[in-house]
Amino acid sequence: MRLRRVNPIKEILRPLGQLLIFVIGSAVIISAFVLLLALLLRPTRTDIDIFQVSLILLPQVLIDGITLGFMYAIIAMGYTMVYGVLEFINFAHGEFVMFGAFAGVELLIWLNAQGVLRTSEIWLALLWLVLAVLLGMSVGGALAVSAERFAYRPLRGTPRLVPLIAAIGVSFLLQDTMRFLQSAINGDFYRTFPEFGPFAQRLTLFSLSIDERPINIAVQYKAILLISFAIIMLVALNYLVNATRLGKAIRSVAQDQRTASLMGIDVNRIIALTFLIGGAMGGAAGVLWTFRFTRADPYMGFIPGLKAFTAAVLGGIGSIVGAMLGGMVLGLLESFAASYFSIFSRGAFGAEYKDIFAFGILILVLIFRPQGLLGGKTTQKA
């Protein structure tokens, strides 16, 4: 089989262009729908101008939705890497996220106890955060490889329901293991991300004036860092899969394990490396998730993991580009639902119902387009 030549620059620039298209396209479509709905409901509201309120909230909702979308996209990458090779949904992936989060947070708590974080300059604070992310990646990757070797590999070749049940069992095992460890060591079930550096400060992007009312649109430095980390990881993964020898081997194993083995590829090694990459991305996502929401607990990976799986299915599970698209769409939809449900329903529904959106979308996609938004077959299968 003749393999196409890969242009490394193209493999770096292409996902950046796709990300830009997804972000702008998703934001424009969802924003237009919300504003149209606000216009239709405007005559029925005499207490407030629902269109004006929607317009005022829109920029900040978009920023929050894009940040959340990148978070879901990173976690979805772990799902899509494993599914692309084994067609196996690893429901323990959320626990790799959780273990990575605890590893990074424990490192930062220890550094804070030594007085290092309180005296850190901006660049040094960023260095500590990067170290926490790298530690989370190491723990998440090691845990994923261990799960593959001892829980999943012995079940390879059995009916698909068997490893799926095993994955659920691994998920519960890891949850209770972390709960036991935290209870025994710290006497509590959760850890709080220490505050350090200028990350909580806000950067004003621009100002608006609506009916002579000034509105400042600002974003936390924390959100900027999260998006930057996410873009770097997404571009790096795309490059790894599509422009390296390891990526070529991963794609070969994904296409046909037996033929890849006959061509001299160590299938077990490639599958283990796939789990390592997916688990590492999950561990990094765990640290960044805790950085964003400040708390790590033994069950923190369950709901984000399910939503990331929803994002992967929404975009087309097994596709790197699909995971990007699905994460972005889901993050924006959830952010819009949390902000506008209460306004449109006159307070009958609130932000607590935003999860209905995520799982309602999963049901609709499975019914009407089970192959995902990007179609059935993709050229960027992980």
Side-chain angles (χ1 to χ4, degrees):
M1 181 178 65
R2 187 176 181 180
L3 297 173
R4 63 181 178 87
R5 290 179 60 87
V6 176
N7 185 339
I9 303 300
K10 182 179 178 181
E11 293 300 332
I12 293 174
L13 295 179
R14 181 171 59 182
L16 291 176
Q18 291 169 332
L19 274 174
L20 185 62
I21 293 172
F22 292 160
V23 170
I24 295 176
S26 302
V28 169
I29 293 173
I30 298 173
S31 299
F33 175 78
V34 168
L35 292 179
L36 177 61
L37 186 59
L39 277 174
L40 294 175
L41 295 176
R42 194 178 194 179
T44 67
R45 298 294 298 267
T46 58
D47 51 342
I48 61 171
D49 187 335
I50 191 172
F51 180 77
Q52 187 180 85
V53 172
S54 300
L55 197 60
I56 291 172
L57 291 176
L58 183 61
Q60 198 63 54
V61 172
L62 284 173
I63 292 172
D64 294 340
I66 290 170
T67 305
L68 186 60
F70 274 113
M71 294 297 302
Y72 287 148
I74 298 174
I75 303 175
M77 289 294 161
Y79 275 113
T80 210
M81 282 291 293
V82 173
Y83 185 88
V85 173
L86 295 177
E87 294 188 354
F88 162 59
I89 301 171
N90 181 21
F91 278 120
H93 186 68
E95 279 54 60
F96 304 156
V97 172
M98 178 265 294
F99 262 80
F102 270 102
V105 171
E106 290 291 354
L107 172 64
L108 292 173
I109 289 175
W110 181 81
L111 290 173
N112 192 42
Q114 306 305 311
V116 175
L117 298 185
R118 290 191 294 271
T119 59
S120 296
E121 298 180 2
I122 295 176
W123 67 270
L124 198 52
L126 182 59
L127 174 62
W128 299 133
L129 180 61
V130 171
L131 287 177
V133 171
L134 291 176
L135 180 60
M137 294 178 71
S138 301
V139 171
L143 199 62
V145 171
S146 300
E148 188 277 329
R149 178 63 184 86
F150 298 108
Y152 304 148
R153 187 180 299 182
L155 301 176
R156 202 180 299 164
T158 60
R160 293 186 181 181
L161 185 60
V162 175
L164 184 64
I165 294 174
I168 296 173
V170 170
S171 173
F172 286 127
L173 174 64
L174 294 177
Q175 286 178 5
D176 289 336
T177 299
M178 180 56 72
R179 180 176 177 178
F180 171 77
L181 290 174
Q182 288 299 315
S183 178
I185 297 173
N186 300 313
D188 212 334
F189 297 145
Y190 68 92
R191 300 293 269 168
T192 302
F193 200 97
E195 292 186 7
F196 65 100
F199 305 132
Q201 298 178 16
R202 302 178 73 86
L203 173 67
T204 300
L205 300 178
F206 55 90
S207 298
L208 298 174
S209 180
I210 299 178
D211 287 344
E212 300 182 355
R213 178 183 176 186
I215 305 294
N216 291 325
I217 307 304
V219 58
Q220 279 187 319
Y221 289 106
K222 184 183 295 188
I224 296 174
L225 279 175
L226 287 174
I227 293 174
S228 301
F229 274 115
I231 290 175
I232 291 171
M233 284 189 282
L234 295 178
V235 172
L237 180 63
N238 183 81
Y239 183 86
L240 173 69
V241 171
N242 292 286
T244 65
R245 290 173 60 89
L246 174 59
K248 190 183 300 182
I250 291 174
R251 286 182 280 123
S252 299
V253 172
Q255 187 172 8
D256 191 324
Q257 291 187 21
R258 179 170 296 182
T259 302
S261 178
L262 293 174
M263 297 294 290
I265 296 174
D266 188 339
V267 173
N268 286 332
R269 175 175 172 270
I270 294 301
I271 291 175
L273 287 173
T274 302
F275 270 87
L276 175 66
I277 295 168
M281 295 202 71
V287 177
L288 296 176
W289 186 276
T290 312
F291 178 53
R292 177 74 169 83
F293 297 105
T294 71
R295 172 171 162 153
D297 66 77
Y299 307 105
M300 61 167 287
F302 182 70
I303 295 299
L306 283 180
K307 290 181 179 178
F309 169 66
T310 302
V313 173
L314 177 63
I317 193 165
S319 166
I320 294 176
V321 177
M324 295 186 214
L325 173 60
M328 197 56 55
V329 170
L330 186 63
L332 285 167
L333 284 174
E334 188 172 314
S335 180
F336 273 80
S339 300
Y340 289 110
F341 258 6
S342 180
I343 298 173
F344 290 168
S345 66
R346 296 177 179 265
F349 301 99
E352 65 272 13
Y353 288 94
K354 61 183 175 59
D355 291 342
I356 294 176
F357 248 68
F359 302 114
I361 289 169
L362 174 61
I363 294 171
L364 291 175
V365 169
L366 290 175
I367 292 174
F368 296 106
R369 194 172 178 82
Q371 71 270 35
L373 295 176
L374 295 186
K377 296 182 179 180
T378 64
T379 58
Q380 294 196 57
K381 194 177 182 184

